């Protein structure tokens, strides 16, 4: 982790690697409009403070979260009718915003790959049942550079399958974690990936 501080604060990644979405609370939140995607319609969620927008549809609906461990903001879009793990929603997408502490230029983001590979490998190895199922891979999502990595871990006796997207813009890191119990991954991943692909930053 010490080496990572030269490039990017990745404390938020540690959160994303072992989190499920709280089953408490809910509601649509101030930034959403529509009916939560009933009938296959998409609902827009916009966060003006951090400048992002995404579209989601059923079975996903908004779950209000409390940011933790250095995060400035966190929200989830969960399948509330899906399985619970330790009384938390297990299937869905979690979005978190973490301040980096300095501005990172888009052209410099790919240079972080090696440090992220090392840090994430260690973090995943340190969580129960944690294993990487893919390498840290560079990507660009709707104009924002970043990385993705696939992994699995165990919580509450359940294996969960996840894909973490780390997007970097300006002074913020945006962590998007798609997650489902492994038995549901194949049926959920299309909906989760489709939601991620609508994520845009101003």
């Amino acid at each position: 982790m010490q080496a990572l501080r030269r490039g990017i604060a990745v404390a938020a990644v540690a959160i994303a690697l072992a989190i499920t979405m709280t089953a408490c609370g809910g509601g649509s939140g101030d930034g959403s409009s529509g009916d939560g995607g009933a009938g296959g319609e998409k609902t827009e969620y916009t966060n003006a403070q951090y400048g992002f927008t995404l579209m989601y549809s059923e079975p996903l609906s908004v779950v209000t979260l409390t940011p933790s461990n250095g995060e400035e903001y966190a929200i989830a879009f969960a399948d509330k009718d899906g399985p619970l793990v330790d009384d938390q929603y297990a299937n869905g997408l979690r979005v978190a915003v973490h301040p980096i502490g300095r501005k990172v230029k888009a052209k410099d983001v790919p240079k972080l790959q090696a440090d992220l590979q090392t840090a994430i490998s260690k973090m995943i190895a340190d969580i129960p049942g944690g294993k990487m199922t893919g390498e840290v891979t560079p990507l660009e999502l709707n104009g924002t550079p970043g990385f993705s990595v696939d992994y699995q871990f165990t919580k509450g006796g359940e294996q969960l399958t996840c894909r973490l997207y780390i997007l970097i813009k300006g002074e913020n890191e945006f962590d998007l974690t798609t997650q489902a119990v492994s038995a549901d991954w194949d049926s959920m991943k299309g909906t989760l990936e489709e939601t991620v692909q609508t994520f845009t930053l101003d």
Side-chain angles (χ1 to χ4, degrees):
M1 284 299 291
Q2 199 65 33
L4 265 292
R5 294 193 181 109
R6 292 199 305 266
I8 180 172
V10 291
V13 174
I15 308 298
L17 290 177
I19 196 128
T20 45
M21 292 150 275
T22 179
C24 302
S28 61
D30 294 336
S32 65
S33 60
D35 58 7
E41 296 178 7
K42 293 192 178 299
T43 300
E44 181 177 283
Y45 182 88
T46 299
N47 183 286
Q49 182 177 1
Y50 295 103
F52 72 83
T53 299
L54 62 76
M55 304 290 292
Y56 65 96
S57 60
E58 64 177 11
L60 304 181
S61 56
V62 173
V63 179
T64 303
L65 300 179
T66 300
S68 57
N69 287 17
E71 294 172 343
E72 286 191 348
Y73 179 80
I75 192 166
F77 303 85
D79 177 4
K80 294 181 180 178
D81 294 324
L84 299 179
V85 174
D86 289 347
D87 294 323
Q88 296 176 310
Y89 301 124
N91 296 352
L93 164 67
R94 186 180 192 271
V95 178
V97 182
H98 189 90
I100 296 171
R102 68 178 181 87
K103 189 169 185 178
V104 177
K105 295 179 180 178
K107 67 181 180 65
D108 293 329
V109 172
K111 300 172 185 176
L112 303 172
Q113 183 176 358
D115 280 348
L116 280 172
Q117 178 76 36
T118 300
I120 291 173
S121 296
K122 183 179 187 309
M123 290 176 188
I124 291 173
D126 286 345
I127 59 178
K131 63 178 180 179
M132 292 178 65
T133 55
E135 298 295 307
V136 173
T137 304
L139 58 79
E140 186 173 289
L141 182 62
N142 297 321
T144 303
F147 305 91
S148 68
V149 63
D150 296 338
Y151 65 96
Q152 294 178 328
F153 72 99
T154 302
K155 186 169 185 177
E158 285 278 0
Q159 184 185 67
L160 292 103
T161 297
C162 309
R163 175 170 289 171
L164 168 65
Y165 297 83
I166 303 167
L167 304 176
I168 299 161
K169 185 166 184 179
E171 297 183 355
N172 287 321
E173 171 189 329
F174 297 82
D175 294 327
L176 285 64
T177 305
T178 60
Q179 173 183 284
V181 296
S182 294
D184 292 346
W185 180 251
D186 285 343
S187 62
M188 286 293 300
K189 67 181 179 181
T191 297
L192 297 174
E193 179 68 19
E194 183 179 347
T195 306
V196 167
Q197 292 301 318
T198 68
F199 184 90
T200 56
L201 285 162
D202 293 343

